[in-house]
Amino acid sequence: MTNPETCMKHHATNANVATEDFMFEAIPESLLSPTLSVVVKIGIIGDKSTEQITSLLESIPMALTQDELVKDMRFDSRVWVKRAVEALASSGIITCDDADTLVNGELLVLALSNYHKIRQGSGTYK
């Protein structure tokens, strides 16, 4: 993206609330959007293209493994973000030794600090 106020948002979205099915979505997003709870730059794509990053992230399964069923109990966007960080690290795109601590620690604190304002449509990302 050439506009410094726009990013490519890669995420797992709850496409069907009734069935709780998630799907991958990659869309340009304004950094000024009132629905963003947290924006974090975790790396530089270097010689990779946005399409290559999107392809990597799109391949992440949207269901829990047996091991995750014991710990997480249900699939949600944090499970997907953890997998995304692990996939990016495994591919050498970023360096992260502990995706679980990053996602369920630092990133969760940042997102929760703005949650109520986001729900009301008056928040800005941190």
Side-chain angles (χ1 to χ4, degrees), residues 26-55:
I27 57 172
E29 181 78 39
S30 168
L31 293 175
L32 304 175
S33 171
T35 61
L36 289 176
S37 58
V38 64
V39 175
V40 178
K41 182 177 180 178
I42 59 172
I44 298 171
I45 62 173
D47 64 347
K48 305 287 186 205
S49 69
T50 300
E51 291 78 18
Q52 288 172 306
I53 302 295
T54 299
S55 179

PDB file of all heavy atoms in Angstrom, residues 26-55:
ATOM      1  N   ALA A  26      -8.953 -10.397   3.417  1.00  0.00           N
ATOM      2  CA  ALA A  26      -7.834  -9.475   3.211  1.00  0.00           C
ATOM      3  C   ALA A  26      -8.394  -8.278   2.464  1.00  0.00           C
ATOM      4  O   ALA A  26      -8.790  -8.397   1.305  1.00  0.00           O
ATOM      5  CB  ALA A  26      -6.720 -10.129   2.411  1.00  0.00           C
ATOM      6  N   ILE A  27      -8.458  -7.134   3.145  1.00  0.00           N
ATOM      7  CA  ILE A  27      -9.036  -5.933   2.536  1.00  0.00           C
ATOM      8  C   ILE A  27      -8.229  -4.708   2.944  1.00  0.00           C
ATOM      9  O   ILE A  27      -7.698  -4.646   4.055  1.00  0.00           O
ATOM     10  CB  ILE A  27     -10.513  -5.731   2.952  1.00  0.00           C
ATOM     11  CG1 ILE A  27     -10.655  -5.668   4.471  1.00  0.00           C
ATOM     12  CG2 ILE A  27     -11.396  -6.811   2.369  1.00  0.00           C
ATOM     13  CD1 ILE A  27     -12.040  -5.279   4.956  1.00  0.00           C
ATOM     14  N   PRO A  28      -8.151  -3.721   2.061  1.00  0.00           N
ATOM     15  CA  PRO A  28      -7.517  -2.461   2.450  1.00  0.00           C
ATOM     16  C   PRO A  28      -8.361  -1.810   3.550  1.00  0.00           C
ATOM     17  O   PRO A  28      -9.591  -1.902   3.533  1.00  0.00           O
ATOM     18  CB  PRO A  28      -7.551  -1.618   1.178  1.00  0.00           C
ATOM     19  CG  PRO A  28      -7.817  -2.577   0.070  1.00  0.00           C
ATOM     20  CD  PRO A  28      -8.574  -3.716   0.663  1.00  0.00           C
ATOM     21  N   GLU A  29      -7.711  -1.209   4.505  1.00  0.00           N
ATOM     22  CA  GLU A  29      -8.417  -0.590   5.640  1.00  0.00           C
ATOM     23  C   GLU A  29      -7.763   0.738   5.972  1.00  0.00           C
ATOM     24  O   GLU A  29      -6.536   0.847   6.024  1.00  0.00           O
ATOM     25  CB  GLU A  29      -8.345  -1.512   6.855  1.00  0.00           C
ATOM     26  CG  GLU A  29      -9.056  -1.014   8.084  1.00  0.00           C
ATOM     27  CD  GLU A  29     -10.567  -1.214   8.011  1.00  0.00           C
ATOM     28  OE1 GLU A  29     -11.014  -2.252   7.519  1.00  0.00           O
ATOM     29  OE2 GLU A  29     -11.286  -0.302   8.450  1.00  0.00           O
ATOM     30  N   SER A  30      -8.560   1.730   6.203  1.00  0.00           N
ATOM     31  CA  SER A  30      -8.051   3.024   6.632  1.00  0.00           C
ATOM     32  C   SER A  30      -7.581   2.925   8.075  1.00  0.00           C
ATOM     33  O   SER A  30      -8.271   2.366   8.925  1.00  0.00           O
ATOM     34  CB  SER A  30      -9.151   4.090   6.532  1.00  0.00           C
ATOM     35  OG  SER A  30      -8.729   5.270   7.196  1.00  0.00           O
ATOM     36  N   LEU A  31      -6.428   3.473   8.343  1.00  0.00           N
ATOM     37  CA  LEU A  31      -5.933   3.501   9.723  1.00  0.00           C
ATOM     38  C   LEU A  31      -6.752   4.446  10.592  1.00  0.00           C
ATOM     39  O   LEU A  31      -6.603   4.466  11.802  1.00  0.00           O
ATOM     40  CB  LEU A  31      -4.456   3.897   9.751  1.00  0.00           C
ATOM     41  CG  LEU A  31      -3.507   2.879   9.124  1.00  0.00           C
ATOM     42  CD1 LEU A  31      -2.084   3.429   9.084  1.00  0.00           C
ATOM     43  CD2 LEU A  31      -3.547   1.563   9.867  1.00  0.00           C
ATOM     44  N   LEU A  32      -7.633   5.199   9.971  1.00  0.00           N
ATOM     45  CA  LEU A  32      -8.505   6.115  10.699  1.00  0.00           C
ATOM     46  C   LEU A  32      -9.875   5.491  10.969  1.00  0.00           C
ATOM     47  O   LEU A  32     -10.758   6.141  11.511  1.00  0.00           O
ATOM     48  CB  LEU A  32      -8.660   7.417   9.919  1.00  0.00           C
ATOM     49  CG  LEU A  32      -7.347   8.125   9.569  1.00  0.00           C
ATOM     50  CD1 LEU A  32      -7.610   9.350   8.697  1.00  0.00           C
ATOM     51  CD2 LEU A  32      -6.581   8.502  10.819  1.00  0.00           C
ATOM     52  N   SER A  33     -10.066   4.227  10.615  1.00  0.00           N
ATOM     53  CA  SER A  33     -11.346   3.544  10.791  1.00  0.00           C
ATOM     54  C   SER A  33     -11.736   3.468  12.272  1.00  0.00           C
ATOM     55  O   SER A  33     -10.920   3.082  13.113  1.00  0.00           O
ATOM     56  CB  SER A  33     -11.269   2.121  10.230  1.00  0.00           C
ATOM     57  OG  SER A  33     -12.422   1.397  10.587  1.00  0.00           O
ATOM     58  N   PRO A  34     -12.979   3.815  12.604  1.00  0.00           N
ATOM     59  CA  PRO A  34     -13.420   3.737  14.000  1.00  0.00           C
ATOM     60  C   PRO A  34     -13.655   2.307  14.476  1.00  0.00           C
ATOM     61  O   PRO A  34     -13.937   2.087  15.644  1.00  0.00           O
ATOM     62  CB  PRO A  34     -14.721   4.543  14.004  1.00  0.00           C
ATOM     63  CG  PRO A  34     -15.228   4.444  12.622  1.00  0.00           C
ATOM     64  CD  PRO A  34     -14.006   4.386  11.732  1.00  0.00           C
ATOM     65  N   THR A  35     -13.530   1.311  13.590  1.00  0.00           N
ATOM     66  CA  THR A  35     -13.749  -0.078  14.008  1.00  0.00           C
ATOM     67  C   THR A  35     -12.459  -0.841  14.290  1.00  0.00           C
ATOM     68  O   THR A  35     -12.513  -1.987  14.714  1.00  0.00           O
ATOM     69  CB  THR A  35     -14.559  -0.846  12.948  1.00  0.00           C
ATOM     70  OG1 THR A  35     -13.823  -0.852  11.717  1.00  0.00           O
ATOM     71  CG2 THR A  35     -15.930  -0.221  12.736  1.00  0.00           C
ATOM     72  N   LEU A  36     -11.313  -0.224  14.076  1.00  0.00           N
ATOM     73  CA  LEU A  36     -10.044  -0.885  14.388  1.00  0.00           C
ATOM     74  C   LEU A  36      -9.749  -0.734  15.874  1.00  0.00           C
ATOM     75  O   LEU A  36      -9.703   0.376  16.394  1.00  0.00           O
ATOM     76  CB  LEU A  36      -8.892  -0.276  13.583  1.00  0.00           C
ATOM     77  CG  LEU A  36      -8.870  -0.567  12.095  1.00  0.00           C
ATOM     78  CD1 LEU A  36      -7.726   0.198  11.435  1.00  0.00           C
ATOM     79  CD2 LEU A  36      -8.738  -2.048  11.825  1.00  0.00           C
ATOM     80  N   SER A  37      -9.545  -1.844  16.552  1.00  0.00           N
ATOM     81  CA  SER A  37      -9.236  -1.755  17.975  1.00  0.00           C
ATOM     82  C   SER A  37      -7.738  -1.690  18.225  1.00  0.00           C
ATOM     83  O   SER A  37      -7.301  -1.110  19.208  1.00  0.00           O
ATOM     84  CB  SER A  37      -9.845  -2.928  18.745  1.00  0.00           C
ATOM     85  OG  SER A  37      -9.387  -4.154  18.231  1.00  0.00           O
ATOM     86  N   VAL A  38      -6.956  -2.310  17.355  1.00  0.00           N
ATOM     87  CA  VAL A  38      -5.503  -2.257  17.510  1.00  0.00           C
ATOM     88  C   VAL A  38      -4.855  -2.471  16.139  1.00  0.00           C
ATOM     89  O   VAL A  38      -5.330  -3.273  15.345  1.00  0.00           O
ATOM     90  CB  VAL A  38      -5.000  -3.308  18.547  1.00  0.00           C
ATOM     91  CG1 VAL A  38      -5.259  -4.714  18.083  1.00  0.00           C
ATOM     92  CG2 VAL A  38      -3.535  -3.113  18.884  1.00  0.00           C
ATOM     93  N   VAL A  39      -3.816  -1.710  15.875  1.00  0.00           N
ATOM     94  CA  VAL A  39      -3.011  -1.879  14.673  1.00  0.00           C
ATOM     95  C   VAL A  39      -1.583  -2.023  15.148  1.00  0.00           C
ATOM     96  O   VAL A  39      -1.080  -1.170  15.885  1.00  0.00           O
ATOM     97  CB  VAL A  39      -3.127  -0.662  13.721  1.00  0.00           C
ATOM     98  CG1 VAL A  39      -2.176  -0.809  12.546  1.00  0.00           C
ATOM     99  CG2 VAL A  39      -4.554  -0.490  13.253  1.00  0.00           C
ATOM    100  N   VAL A  40      -0.953  -3.123  14.752  1.00  0.00           N
ATOM    101  CA  VAL A  40       0.407  -3.382  15.209  1.00  0.00           C
ATOM    102  C   VAL A  40       1.266  -3.759  14.013  1.00  0.00           C
ATOM    103  O   VAL A  40       0.918  -4.656  13.245  1.00  0.00           O
ATOM    104  CB  VAL A  40       0.437  -4.533  16.244  1.00  0.00           C
ATOM    105  CG1 VAL A  40       1.861  -4.830  16.674  1.00  0.00           C
ATOM    106  CG2 VAL A  40      -0.425  -4.206  17.441  1.00  0.00           C
ATOM    107  N   LYS A  41       2.350  -3.056  13.861  1.00  0.00           N
ATOM    108  CA  LYS A  41       3.317  -3.414  12.824  1.00  0.00           C
ATOM    109  C   LYS A  41       4.259  -4.435  13.437  1.00  0.00           C
ATOM    110  O   LYS A  41       4.976  -4.133  14.400  1.00  0.00           O
ATOM    111  CB  LYS A  41       4.102  -2.177  12.372  1.00  0.00           C
ATOM    112  CG  LYS A  41       5.087  -2.466  11.273  1.00  0.00           C
ATOM    113  CD  LYS A  41       5.774  -1.179  10.822  1.00  0.00           C
ATOM    114  CE  LYS A  41       6.762  -1.432   9.735  1.00  0.00           C
ATOM    115  NZ  LYS A  41       7.385  -0.184   9.279  1.00  0.00           N
ATOM    116  N   ILE A  42       4.228  -5.659  12.922  1.00  0.00           N
ATOM    117  CA  ILE A  42       5.047  -6.721  13.510  1.00  0.00           C
ATOM    118  C   ILE A  42       6.241  -7.086  12.637  1.00  0.00           C
ATOM    119  O   ILE A  42       7.027  -7.937  13.009  1.00  0.00           O
ATOM    120  CB  ILE A  42       4.219  -7.985  13.825  1.00  0.00           C
ATOM    121  CG1 ILE A  42       3.555  -8.536  12.562  1.00  0.00           C
ATOM    122  CG2 ILE A  42       3.184  -7.693  14.900  1.00  0.00           C
ATOM    123  CD1 ILE A  42       2.881  -9.875  12.760  1.00  0.00           C
ATOM    124  N   GLY A  43       6.366  -6.461  11.484  1.00  0.00           N
ATOM    125  CA  GLY A  43       7.499  -6.760  10.628  1.00  0.00           C
ATOM    126  C   GLY A  43       7.437  -5.981   9.334  1.00  0.00           C
ATOM    127  O   GLY A  43       6.523  -5.193   9.106  1.00  0.00           O
ATOM    128  N   ILE A  44       8.438  -6.197   8.522  1.00  0.00           N
ATOM    129  CA  ILE A  44       8.528  -5.586   7.201  1.00  0.00           C
ATOM    130  C   ILE A  44       8.554  -6.733   6.203  1.00  0.00           C
ATOM    131  O   ILE A  44       9.319  -7.690   6.375  1.00  0.00           O
ATOM    132  CB  ILE A  44       9.799  -4.718   7.082  1.00  0.00           C
ATOM    133  CG1 ILE A  44       9.735  -3.579   8.102  1.00  0.00           C
ATOM    134  CG2 ILE A  44       9.962  -4.185   5.668  1.00  0.00           C
ATOM    135  CD1 ILE A  44      11.019  -2.790   8.225  1.00  0.00           C
ATOM    136  N   ILE A  45       7.732  -6.655   5.162  1.00  0.00           N
ATOM    137  CA  ILE A  45       7.617  -7.794   4.256  1.00  0.00           C
ATOM    138  C   ILE A  45       8.842  -7.996   3.371  1.00  0.00           C
ATOM    139  O   ILE A  45       8.987  -9.045   2.764  1.00  0.00           O
ATOM    140  CB  ILE A  45       6.319  -7.745   3.427  1.00  0.00           C
ATOM    141  CG1 ILE A  45       6.258  -6.518   2.524  1.00  0.00           C
ATOM    142  CG2 ILE A  45       5.115  -7.810   4.322  1.00  0.00           C
ATOM    143  CD1 ILE A  45       5.073  -6.518   1.577  1.00  0.00           C
ATOM    144  N   GLY A  46       9.727  -7.035   3.321  1.00  0.00           N
ATOM    145  CA  GLY A  46      10.973  -7.196   2.574  1.00  0.00           C
ATOM    146  C   GLY A  46      10.735  -7.528   1.121  1.00  0.00           C
ATOM    147  O   GLY A  46      10.062  -6.793   0.414  1.00  0.00           O
ATOM    148  N   ASP A  47      11.279  -8.679   0.670  1.00  0.00           N
ATOM    149  CA  ASP A  47      11.156  -9.051  -0.734  1.00  0.00           C
ATOM    150  C   ASP A  47       9.855  -9.785  -1.047  1.00  0.00           C
ATOM    151  O   ASP A  47       9.625 -10.190  -2.177  1.00  0.00           O
ATOM    152  CB  ASP A  47      12.356  -9.895  -1.169  1.00  0.00           C
ATOM    153  CG  ASP A  47      12.441 -11.223  -0.434  1.00  0.00           C
ATOM    154  OD1 ASP A  47      11.736 -11.406   0.580  1.00  0.00           O
ATOM    155  OD2 ASP A  47      13.221 -12.084  -0.881  1.00  0.00           O
ATOM    156  N   LYS A  48       8.986  -9.956  -0.067  1.00  0.00           N
ATOM    157  CA  LYS A  48       7.681 -10.598  -0.283  1.00  0.00           C
ATOM    158  C   LYS A  48       6.667  -9.565  -0.772  1.00  0.00           C
ATOM    159  O   LYS A  48       6.714  -8.405  -0.402  1.00  0.00           O
ATOM    160  CB  LYS A  48       7.155 -11.220   1.004  1.00  0.00           C
ATOM    161  CG  LYS A  48       8.081 -12.208   1.665  1.00  0.00           C
ATOM    162  CD  LYS A  48       8.129 -13.494   0.907  1.00  0.00           C
ATOM    163  CE  LYS A  48       8.954 -14.504   1.686  1.00  0.00           C
ATOM    164  NZ  LYS A  48       9.540 -15.510   0.863  1.00  0.00           N
ATOM    165  N   SER A  49       5.743 -10.013  -1.578  1.00  0.00           N
ATOM    166  CA  SER A  49       4.680  -9.132  -2.038  1.00  0.00           C
ATOM    167  C   SER A  49       3.475  -9.268  -1.104  1.00  0.00           C
ATOM    168  O   SER A  49       3.358 -10.242  -0.350  1.00  0.00           O
ATOM    169  CB  SER A  49       4.262  -9.487  -3.461  1.00  0.00           C
ATOM    170  OG  SER A  49       3.607 -10.750  -3.469  1.00  0.00           O
ATOM    171  N   THR A  50       2.592  -8.299  -1.171  1.00  0.00           N
ATOM    172  CA  THR A  50       1.354  -8.379  -0.400  1.00  0.00           C
ATOM    173  C   THR A  50       0.588  -9.642  -0.789  1.00  0.00           C
ATOM    174  O   THR A  50       0.010 -10.310   0.062  1.00  0.00           O
ATOM    175  CB  THR A  50       0.486  -7.129  -0.636  1.00  0.00           C
ATOM    176  OG1 THR A  50       1.225  -5.975  -0.230  1.00  0.00           O
ATOM    177  CG2 THR A  50      -0.809  -7.192   0.152  1.00  0.00           C
ATOM    178  N   GLU A  51       0.620 -10.002  -2.066  1.00  0.00           N
ATOM    179  CA  GLU A  51      -0.082 -11.201  -2.546  1.00  0.00           C
ATOM    180  C   GLU A  51       0.515 -12.467  -1.935  1.00  0.00           C
ATOM    181  O   GLU A  51      -0.217 -13.400  -1.596  1.00  0.00           O
ATOM    182  CB  GLU A  51      -0.041 -11.274  -4.080  1.00  0.00           C
ATOM    183  CG  GLU A  51      -0.865 -10.203  -4.774  1.00  0.00           C
ATOM    184  CD  GLU A  51      -0.191  -8.823  -4.804  1.00  0.00           C
ATOM    185  OE1 GLU A  51       1.047  -8.715  -4.605  1.00  0.00           O
ATOM    186  OE2 GLU A  51      -0.922  -7.838  -5.013  1.00  0.00           O
ATOM    187  N   GLN A  52       1.841 -12.516  -1.771  1.00  0.00           N
ATOM    188  CA  GLN A  52       2.479 -13.681  -1.152  1.00  0.00           C
ATOM    189  C   GLN A  52       2.093 -13.796   0.323  1.00  0.00           C
ATOM    190  O   GLN A  52       1.822 -14.895   0.814  1.00  0.00           O
ATOM    191  CB  GLN A  52       4.003 -13.592  -1.296  1.00  0.00           C
ATOM    192  CG  GLN A  52       4.482 -13.827  -2.699  1.00  0.00           C
ATOM    193  CD  GLN A  52       5.968 -13.548  -2.840  1.00  0.00           C
ATOM    194  OE1 GLN A  52       6.439 -12.460  -2.488  1.00  0.00           O
ATOM    195  NE2 GLN A  52       6.699 -14.521  -3.350  1.00  0.00           N
ATOM    196  N   ILE A  53       2.074 -12.670   1.017  1.00  0.00           N
ATOM    197  CA  ILE A  53       1.658 -12.671   2.425  1.00  0.00           C
ATOM    198  C   ILE A  53       0.201 -13.108   2.535  1.00  0.00           C
ATOM    199  O   ILE A  53      -0.149 -13.952   3.368  1.00  0.00           O
ATOM    200  CB  ILE A  53       1.847 -11.274   3.067  1.00  0.00           C
ATOM    201  CG1 ILE A  53       3.300 -10.819   2.985  1.00  0.00           C
ATOM    202  CG2 ILE A  53       1.313 -11.254   4.491  1.00  0.00           C
ATOM    203  CD1 ILE A  53       4.285 -11.637   3.762  1.00  0.00           C
ATOM    204  N   THR A  54      -0.640 -12.570   1.666  1.00  0.00           N
ATOM    205  CA  THR A  54      -2.054 -12.933   1.678  1.00  0.00           C
ATOM    206  C   THR A  54      -2.233 -14.424   1.417  1.00  0.00           C
ATOM    207  O   THR A  54      -3.009 -15.101   2.105  1.00  0.00           O
ATOM    208  CB  THR A  54      -2.839 -12.096   0.642  1.00  0.00           C
ATOM    209  OG1 THR A  54      -2.722 -10.714   0.999  1.00  0.00           O
ATOM    210  CG2 THR A  54      -4.303 -12.494   0.585  1.00  0.00           C
ATOM    211  N   SER A  55      -1.514 -14.970   0.465  1.00  0.00           N
ATOM    212  CA  SER A  55      -1.602 -16.401   0.150  1.00  0.00           C
ATOM    213  C   SER A  55      -1.193 -17.260   1.350  1.00  0.00           C
ATOM    214  O   SER A  55      -1.851 -18.253   1.659  1.00  0.00           O
ATOM    215  CB  SER A  55      -0.722 -16.712  -1.058  1.00  0.00           C
ATOM    216  OG  SER A  55      -0.770 -18.079  -1.362  1.00  0.00           O
TER     217      SER A  55
END
